[in-house]
Amino acid sequence: MKVVNLKQAILQAWKERWSDYQWAINMKKFFPKGATWDILNLAEALLEQAMIGPSPNPLILSYLKYAISSQMVSYSTVLTAISKFDDFSRDLCIQALLDIMDMFCDRLSCHGKAEECIGLCRALLSALHWLLRCTIASAERLREGTTAGEKQLTMCLQRLHKILSSTKNRALLHIAKLEEASSWTAIEQSLLKLGDTFASLNNSHLQSQAEECGALVRSIPIMLSMHSEQLHKTGFPTVHAVVLLEGTMNLTGEMQPLVEQLMMVKRMQRIPSPLFILEIWKACFVGLIESPEGTEELKWTAFTFLKIPQVLVKLKKYPQGDKDFTEDVNCAFEFLLKLTPLLDRADQRCNCDCINLLLQECSKQGLLSEMNKDSLTEKRIADREQSPWLKSAENANIQPNPGLILRAEPTVTNILKTMDADHSKSPEGLLGVLGHMLSGKSLDLLLAAAAATGKLKSFARKFISLNEFTKHINGENSKAASVRALLFDISFLMLCHVAQTYGSEVILSESSTVGEVPFFETWMQMCMPEEGKILNPDHPCFRPDSTKVESLVALLNNTSETKLVQILKWHEACLSISAAILEILNAWENGVLAFESIQKITDNIKGKVCSLAVCAVAWLVAHVRMLGLDEREKSLQMIRQLVGPLSSENTLQFYNERVVIMSSILEHMCADVLQQTATQIKFPCTGMDTMPYWNLLPPKRPIKEVLTSIFAEVLEKGWVDSRSIHVFDTLLHMGGVYWFCNNLVKELLKETRKEYTLRAVELLYSIFCLDMQQVTLVLLGHILPGLLTDSAKWQSLMDPPGTALAKLAVWCALSSYSTHKGQASSRQKKRHREDIEDYISLFPLDDTQPSKLMRLLSSNEDDANVLSSPTDRSMNSSLSASQLHTVNMRDPLNRVLANLFLLISSILGARTAGPHTQFVQWFMEECVDCLEQGSRGSILQFMPFTTIQGMSVPECVPCHWEPIKGCLCVPKPWR
């Protein structure tokens, strides 16, 4: 009777032309209580009445749309009702049904019991079957020549694609397939029919759309296997990224900080030793495979085959419990051997058996027993037999980089010994050694091997000593003068190349060193262009003795063959060349010198000693930055002449080898200024990309968009690659630490899926390792207090993003606190440091000047002796007794931590519950969990006396105002 009454009510509404909301009100009056609208089949009844005529009844359809919007009817009953309509020849009715599906198919959901959820899956499967049948019918009508068929077919394909492009909808269909096997069989038959029907159509656009929809349907049965890697933890992205970051940007860094950082990650994430070592090797092979050809590839090879075995030796010294570290290494290699595609790609890239070389190196370092090494080698040989293309004849003549790097390591030691000898006794022999180093890729091989083994600093110091030796002249003949010029030039070029490839910190002498500063160090600091370094072309260092400048200009302008080698001290020439170039530029601009004279002068500059060209271009780059748009032409033309080839052939000793290094140095020097002036200069081809990670940011796109998009890509992949690391580093440099950290934290707080928030934390921690100290200061000193003290932002701290942020904050705090006494890495020294005064003003040193946080949290009580809550106390009075004597509160990190714990104490004492108090609990739990894992350096020492009292709430509703064991009012660590 209720069904009959329902139909009568619908007819009455139509007759009396009720509006949609009037209809809903009256319907609830007619049917006040009892069965739900789904049980009464309201959706089906409305559709049945709406579709009686040749076109749909718009008024009754408006009732159905209102019922859907107000959730009177569930999505599943609407989809089921639609799938029962089978007169596909009624175009207007089909269009109306497709429009109704459009209302909710991109946001399907249901409320209630599990059966209703399964009902939604089944209904969506029925709707998919109906859409496929409708598409087939429309295609058949189009094939018969019906004009309306194409429009209807296009609409059907669009809806199909919209439904199937949603991963959530495909997941629901996958569940329905498991529940309704017979219905899925009907879907597969419809797909076959769809393919046959479209094969006879001549419209390629519609065919491609249908094929795309068919592919999405066919992907549903294999969804679980496709997404298993995302849903289940198969790797450890933090370890992967830390290793990639070190190999890509900090090859020269000391091993101990890397070892400590890796051990901290291992402890915090509780990674089993074999999987931990496996992840290190995986990261090495991925870095090796994706490294750009040239210097970067050699650096990665040295990192993998020389540095990482030494890192494992240091890891072996850490306590392993009852386990034998060599067994863990063996187990890790066993797992690694199962990653055949990865190893094959690495072998193909390196043109050798990488695992065999690694096993030999690990065995040499005592990381593997001889028996295990032989067993693993045999397994890999057997695997390689299945890939004959690895031994193709075309690669037979290419020397593999890993073998060259391993041979270069003892060569570095020998060269260092040679450089220790008295240079004045056999300069010709030394020149022969240096000349051999310049040939091919020998120099980059030796530098990479030296960097990976910690010998690059010694290497650089030897070349600085050599460069200093060549400054002195003691009545030499022409041959000796020529050798001296070559030694100066080669040592100068090598030092420039080292500074550009590995950072200028490698060159600089220790601050404690006394005595005269070497010439090259002075020139590099004052005159050499580097990324982010602005030079003043009018600085006194560019304005030497005028008499020396005049004689140099005269020599360069002399058309006859000039014997520069016997006349000049080369360091003086390098310092005078900038002023000489200015004189020549002025003469050219005033018409005193013709272009042909400029060509001869530039040939003289670069034709004898390439160092002069490097010094000249260094000044020109600084000079061009200061010129207006219409004043740059001559200076840029001068740079173009200096970097171009000689107008005549040069037969000087090692000249071609020196020009290759010079071109690479000049390209690095000019990169910034050429980009800023939109100038193109063709540098001589050296056969490799000398600046592989230069200019990675897309033009004319806001950097915030770039940051969010690159983080979304990394999060989807689940790991950071070398290119992404360089993009993040560039963005950190451009936007600053606060901008960088704040925007990435916002991205973390947007995530609502638990597995993605955990992955985001692991990735963000590794990204923050780009400058962990500064990021931690910003995160704990600015961002967290802002979130905890602004009630409008408390909602963002709910689980799961709030839990994830607490974990990230603790990880960063522990990492920074345990390592902030050490030296900053070379990659961090390059970046502008935050001014320590910023932190002292935020967290002042004396208690008479209240800090910003203290002013924010202070109470109005005048009696300093009454401490009713932590907010009433000064910083010193809120710290533990032991801390007052041991902690240096002038350190910015210590001050930030002390103030953060003071804020936490005030939140716990405020008696105002909310997401921020839950966040504080997660933060404290994570502190305790990480402390239990034995991480070095406890940040809990900054906790005020009464924090635990504040956390142990004495009264609560769940336990009837009496504390009971295990009650949720007491944080887990103290239950």
Side-chain angles (χ1 to χ4, degrees):
M1 285 301 296
K2 282 189 175 180
V3 173
V4 173
N5 291 340
L6 186 63
K7 289 183 179 179
Q8 288 175 352
I10 293 169
L11 288 173
Q12 184 183 347
W14 173 68
K15 286 176 185 176
E16 297 180 10
R17 298 296 190 267
W18 294 346
S19 64
D20 48 11
Y21 67 89
Q22 282 177 324
W23 169 81
I25 292 168
N26 290 333
M27 288 294 284
K28 288 174 184 177
K29 286 179 183 176
F30 293 156
F31 304 90
K33 287 181 182 180
T36 63
W37 298 112
D38 283 353
I39 292 176
L40 294 174
N41 285 328
L42 176 60
E44 189 175 337
L46 286 168
L47 269 182
E48 188 180 321
Q49 293 300 318
M51 300 296 168
I52 289 175
S55 63
N57 186 317
L59 185 60
I60 297 179
L61 276 184
S62 73
Y63 300 158
L64 177 60
K65 290 177 181 177
Y66 188 89
I68 293 169
S69 300
S70 60
Q71 296 185 356
M72 286 175 67
V73 293
S74 64
Y75 297 142
S76 58
T77 56
V78 178
L79 290 173
T80 304
I82 289 173
S83 62
K84 291 179 180 179
F85 185 85
D86 56 2
D87 189 355
F88 299 120
S89 61
R90 291 158 64 184
D91 299 334
L92 294 175
C93 291
I94 295 295
Q95 183 176 344
L97 293 175
L98 293 172
D99 288 343
I100 289 171
M101 291 179 77
D102 263 353
M103 290 177 64
F104 56 83
C105 274
D106 56 343
R107 50 187 174 87
L108 286 175
S109 62
C110 68
H111 304 279
K113 301 176 182 177
E115 291 82 358
E116 292 174 22
C117 299
I118 294 293
L120 177 62
C121 299
R122 287 172 173 154
L124 184 58
L125 188 65
S126 301
L128 175 62
H129 189 209
W130 179 82
L131 265 176
L132 288 171
R133 286 164 52 217
C134 186
T135 306
I136 292 166
S138 304
E140 287 173 346
R141 292 176 65 199
L142 177 61
R143 189 171 58 186
E144 292 165 4
T146 309
T147 53
E150 182 173 357
K151 181 182 178 184
Q152 186 171 308
L153 179 57
T154 304
M155 290 168 60
C156 289
L157 287 171
Q158 285 173 350
R159 269 48 169 209
L160 262 175
H161 189 269
K162 184 176 180 180
I163 290 173
L164 292 167
S165 60
S166 164
T167 309
K168 176 184 171 183
N169 287 350
R170 294 202 305 277
L172 294 175
L173 288 166
H174 187 277
I175 295 168
K177 170 192 170 291
L178 299 176
E179 289 288 323
E180 299 281 345
S182 58
S183 299
W184 186 258
T185 305
I187 295 277
E188 290 176 330
Q189 290 171 354
S190 297
L191 273 181
L192 291 173
K193 191 173 180 182
L194 184 73
D196 294 339
T197 307
F198 272 85
S200 57
L201 292 181
N202 293 324
N203 192 321
S204 59
H205 177 64
L206 291 175
Q207 280 180 335
S208 65
Q209 277 188 304
E211 286 171 8
E212 192 175 344
C213 292
L216 286 170
V217 174
R218 281 187 284 272
S219 72
I220 290 169
I222 56 172
M223 273 190 78
L224 232 51
S225 59
M226 287 167 60
H227 291 269
S228 60
E229 285 192 14
Q230 291 184 7
L231 298 173
H232 301 289
K233 190 173 180 67
T234 57
F236 300 92
T238 309
V239 177
H240 189 100
V242 166
V243 174
L244 270 180
L245 180 64
E246 197 74 14
T248 304
M249 305 184 75
N250 198 29
L251 180 61
T252 57
E254 292 181 13
M255 289 182 202
Q256 193 57 36
L258 172 61
V259 170
E260 289 178 5
Q261 189 177 25
L262 286 171
M263 282 303 295
M264 175 161 282
V265 172
K266 180 177 183 288
R267 283 193 298 259
M268 289 191 300
Q269 299 186 16
R270 302 177 178 86
I271 306 172
S273 286
L275 296 180
F276 172 66
I277 298 165
L278 171 66
E279 197 64 43
I280 292 174
W281 287 129
K282 278 165 61 180
C284 288
F285 279 111
V286 169
L288 198 55
I289 291 165
E290 67 181 19
S291 60
E293 188 177 352
T295 306
E296 289 299 316
E297 184 184 355
L298 294 176
K299 286 163 75 173
W300 259 108
T301 307
F303 180 76
T304 303
F305 291 88
L306 293 178
K307 189 166 186 175
I308 288 299
Q310 293 292 333
V311 167
L312 291 180
V313 169
K314 289 184 177 290
L315 286 171
K316 184 180 178 182
K317 296 175 183 176
Y318 281 76
Q320 307 293 327
D322 298 332
K323 294 184 178 179
D324 182 5
F325 189 76
T326 55
E327 280 305 311
D328 289 335
V329 174
N330 180 56
C331 189
F333 273 115
E334 291 281 3
F335 288 143
L336 187 61
L337 288 179
K338 293 176 183 176
L339 305 177
T340 308
L342 177 72
L343 299 182
D344 286 352
R345 283 288 302 276
D347 286 359
Q348 187 182 18
R349 177 70 193 269
C350 297
N351 191 36
C352 67
D353 185 349
C354 293
I355 283 288
N356 184 29
L357 290 173
L358 266 184
L359 291 172
Q360 290 178 22
E361 198 62 24
C362 288
S363 177
K364 218 184 290 180
Q365 301 294 341
L367 296 169
L368 272 176
S369 66
E370 198 67 27
M371 184 176 70
N372 286 340
K373 185 201 82 169
D374 294 340
S375 172
L376 292 166
T377 304
E378 288 172 11
K379 288 178 183 177
R380 180 56 186 155
I381 290 171
D383 271 352
R384 280 173 60 87
E385 292 300 325
Q386 306 300 319
S387 306
W389 48 271
L390 289 175
K391 300 179 180 180
S392 58
E394 61 185 11
N395 296 329
N397 297 324
I398 302 174
Q399 284 190 303
N401 284 334
L404 294 173
I405 281 286
L406 290 170
R407 288 203 296 273
E409 184 200 4
T411 309
V412 169
T413 308
N414 293 334
I415 289 174
L416 288 174
K417 289 178 182 175
T418 304
M419 299 287 289
D420 279 333
D422 187 352
H423 303 318
S424 59
K425 289 184 179 177
S426 179
E428 293 86 355
L430 183 59
L431 181 61
V433 172
L434 298 185
H436 180 69
M437 284 174 63
L438 291 178
S439 61
K441 57 184 180 183
S442 297
L443 178 60
D444 283 328
L445 273 168
L446 292 166
L447 292 179
T453 52
K455 297 174 183 172
L456 188 60
K457 186 99 178 169
S458 302
F459 214 69
R461 299 312 304 170
K462 303 295 182 191
F463 281 102
I464 284 179
S465 300
L466 174 62
N467 192 260
E468 286 294 293
F469 161 75
T470 56
K471 285 164 50 176
H472 307 291
I473 307 174
N474 295 315
E476 59 189 359
N477 55 32
S478 60
K479 184 180 178 182
S482 179
V483 170
R484 178 176 63 85
L486 284 172
L487 288 174
F488 176 88
D489 198 31
I490 291 172
S491 59
F492 186 95
L493 294 173
M494 282 183 175
L495 288 167
C496 285
H497 184 63
V498 169
Q500 288 181 340
T501 309
Y502 295 97
S504 54
E505 294 78 17
V506 178
I507 305 293
L508 297 175
S509 53
E510 300 297 332
S511 55
S512 58
T513 307
V514 293
E516 185 185 354
V517 179
F519 155 70
F520 184 83
E521 278 191 46
T522 305
W523 180 86
M524 182 185 71
Q525 289 180 292
M526 305 304 298
C527 309
M528 183 175 171
E530 291 181 277
E531 186 181 355
K533 180 176 167 183
I534 304 299
L535 299 172
N536 176 14
D538 298 322
H539 191 276
C541 71
F542 291 120
R543 295 286 175 270
D545 186 357
S546 57
T547 56
K548 292 177 182 176
V549 174
E550 288 172 9
S551 62
L552 181 60
V553 170
L555 286 170
L556 294 174
N557 199 26
N558 195 329
T559 54
S560 64
E561 184 67 25
T562 309
K563 293 186 178 180
L564 291 170
V565 290
Q566 284 181 281
I567 300 171
L568 286 174
K569 289 184 177 179
W570 290 111
H571 68 286
E572 291 178 356
C574 286
L575 292 173
S576 304
I577 192 69
S578 53
I581 290 291
L582 180 61
E583 295 288 331
I584 292 163
L585 263 178
N586 289 336
W588 187 16
E589 286 171 350
N590 293 318
V592 177
L593 289 175
F595 181 69
E596 291 75 16
S597 301
I598 298 298
Q599 277 186 311
K600 288 176 183 175
I601 289 170
T602 53
D603 279 359
N604 275 335
I605 291 172
K606 66 190 176 187
K608 307 288 187 300
V609 178
C610 295
S611 311
L612 283 181
V614 171
C615 296
V617 171
W619 178 82
L620 282 167
V621 165
H623 181 62
V624 167
R625 285 181 188 273
M626 304 298 169
L627 298 176
L629 192 63
D630 54 343
E631 301 172 320
R632 297 170 176 166
E633 186 184 351
K634 290 283 195 293
S635 299
L636 290 170
Q637 186 67 14
M638 179 80 84
I639 293 175
R640 194 173 277 110
Q641 288 298 314
L642 285 167
V643 303
L646 279 174
S647 54
S648 59
E649 191 175 348
N650 193 303
T651 57
L652 287 177
Q653 195 176 9
F654 305 124
Y655 183 73
N656 292 333
E657 291 85 352
R658 285 184 283 142
V659 163
V660 170
I661 300 179
M662 179 188 76
S663 299
S664 170
I665 294 166
L666 297 184
E667 188 174 354
H668 276 84
M669 279 185 175
C670 298
D672 267 340
V673 77
L674 294 182
Q675 185 184 35
Q676 290 166 10
T677 57
T679 307
Q680 289 189 342
I681 293 180
K682 186 173 176 60
F683 289 85
C685 182
T686 59
M688 62 185 71
D689 186 0
T690 54
M691 301 181 67
Y693 295 117
W694 169 254
N695 200 18
L696 291 174
L697 299 186
K700 298 181 181 178
R701 191 177 173 194
I703 58 172
K704 185 177 178 181
E705 277 184 27
V706 178
L707 181 66
T708 53
S709 64
I710 194 75
F711 181 69
E713 287 174 21
V714 164
L715 187 60
E716 187 63 32
K717 284 193 303 185
W719 55 281
V720 187
D721 56 38
S722 300
R723 185 184 180 280
S724 301
I725 286 173
H726 280 272
V727 173
F728 281 124
D729 189 57
T730 306
L731 291 169
L732 175 57
H733 187 74
M734 290 179 71
V737 181
Y738 178 81
W739 174 89
F740 184 78
C741 183
N742 189 40
N743 282 298
L744 285 177
V745 168
K746 285 179 183 177
E747 292 304 306
L748 171 63
L749 294 177
K750 287 178 188 175
E751 285 300 328
T752 55
R753 293 168 291 180
K754 187 172 183 180
E755 67 273 10
Y756 268 58
T757 55
L758 291 174
R759 182 191 295 179
V761 168
E762 293 180 346
L763 292 169
L764 281 175
Y765 173 81
S766 56
I767 292 165
F768 287 169
C769 286
L770 284 166
D771 200 346
M772 181 59 79
Q773 293 289 324
Q774 295 295 303
V775 167
T776 303
L777 289 172
V778 165
L779 179 62
L780 304 185
H782 294 268
I783 295 171
L784 280 190
L787 290 169
L788 291 171
T789 55
D790 186 352
S791 58
K793 296 176 181 176
W794 287 351
Q795 199 68 18
S796 64
L797 296 176
M798 294 181 71
D799 192 39
T803 319
L805 181 58
K807 189 183 288 287
L808 177 65
V810 172
W811 287 5
C812 291
L814 286 172
S815 295
S816 295
Y817 189 72
S818 64
T819 60
H820 80 296
K821 303 297 181 187
Q823 294 293 318
S825 69
S826 58
R827 66 172 183 272
Q828 292 172 2
K829 286 178 182 174
K830 290 178 187 175
R831 192 171 294 108
H832 169 69
R833 314 307 304 153
E834 296 283 342
D835 191 349
I836 195 170
E837 294 300 322
D838 294 343
Y839 294 99
I840 290 179
S841 65
L842 183 65
F843 311 120
L845 291 172
D846 58 12
D847 295 328
T848 59
Q849 178 194 4
S851 72
K852 293 177 185 176
L853 271 177
M854 290 297 297
R855 285 199 301 271
L856 182 69
L857 303 172
S858 63
S859 68
N860 295 321
E861 294 178 9
D862 297 325
D863 187 359
N865 298 317
V866 180
L867 300 178
S868 60
S869 74
T871 58
D872 301 325
R873 291 166 294 151
S874 66
M875 179 187 293
N876 282 355
S877 62
S878 68
L879 300 179
S880 63
S882 61
Q883 184 190 341
L884 294 177
H885 303 289
T886 59
V887 176
N888 173 20
M889 294 313 293
R890 288 185 175 273
D891 186 284
L893 181 61
N894 292 346
R895 300 190 66 75
V896 164
L897 284 167
N899 275 269
L900 179 63
F901 276 99
L902 182 63
L903 174 58
I904 286 172
S905 183
S906 72
I907 289 170
L908 293 171
R911 304 290 178 174
T912 305
H916 64 307
T917 50
Q918 184 67 62
F919 176 86
V920 166
Q921 177 179 325
W922 291 325
F923 182 87
M924 297 300 291
E925 286 183 6
E926 190 63 34
C927 283
V928 174
D929 285 346
C930 289
L931 185 66
E932 286 169 355
Q933 295 302 312
S935 52
R936 187 161 66 88
S938 171
I939 60 172
L940 288 176
Q941 66 177 305
F942 292 97
M943 186 168 59
F945 285 119
T946 56
T947 300
I948 295 180
Q949 179 189 338
M951 295 191 77
S952 303
V953 182
E955 300 172 333
C956 76
V957 176
C959 54
H960 308 290
W961 306 97
E962 295 178 5
I964 57 175
K965 185 177 180 182
C967 177
L968 294 176
C969 73
V970 183
K972 188 167 63 178
W974 287 276
R975 284 178 201 161

